């Protein structure tokens, strides 16, 4: 086994890291793809519907080069909440 990291366009522009915390797996992937960041997903049960980002390896607002890899840790939220 190993880790495969997909790198997107490697232009030399910078992007601001958005807030990923609270996003679903699909939303986090979409957001990262839109601005040109690469994501590494970490956590359990990533295919569950109530899984959201709990931490991100690069703080929100940090300027990074396009194509930077950010690690997103996901947790399962129990949304029954009663």
């Amino acid at each position: 086994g190993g880790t495969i990291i997909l790198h997107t366009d490697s232009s030399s522009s910078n992007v601001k890291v958005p807030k990923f915390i609270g996003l679903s797996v699909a939303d986090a992937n979409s957001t990262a793809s839109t601005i040109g960041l690469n994501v590494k997903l970490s956590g359990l049960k990533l295919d569950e519907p109530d899984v959201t980002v709990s931490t991100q390896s690069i703080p929100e607002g940090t300027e990074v080069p396009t194509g930077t890899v950010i690690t997103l840790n996901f947790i399962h939220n129990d949304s029954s909440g009663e």
Side-chain angles (χ1 to χ4, degrees), residues 36-75:
L37 290 176
N38 295 295
V39 292
K40 179 178 178 188
L41 307 179
S42 177
L44 302 174
K45 299 183 180 179
L46 295 176
D47 56 345
E48 297 273 326
D50 293 332
V51 173
T52 58
V53 178
S54 62
T55 62
Q56 57 190 74
S57 63
I58 302 171
E60 175 186 358
T62 305
E63 288 226 359
V64 297
T66 303
T68 295
V69 176
I70 181 169
T71 300
L72 303 177
N73 291 302
F74 289 84
I75 58 168

Side-chain angles (χ1 to χ4, degrees), residues 3-36:
T3 300
I4 297 174
I5 299 174
L6 177 65
H7 292 279
T8 57
D9 182 5
S10 60
S11 62
S12 60
S13 60
N14 285 346
V15 295
K16 263 192 183 167
V17 175
K19 178 182 177 183
F20 284 100
I21 293 171
L23 295 182
S24 67
V25 174
D27 288 343
N29 273 324
S30 176
T31 299
S33 176
T34 299
I35 64 170

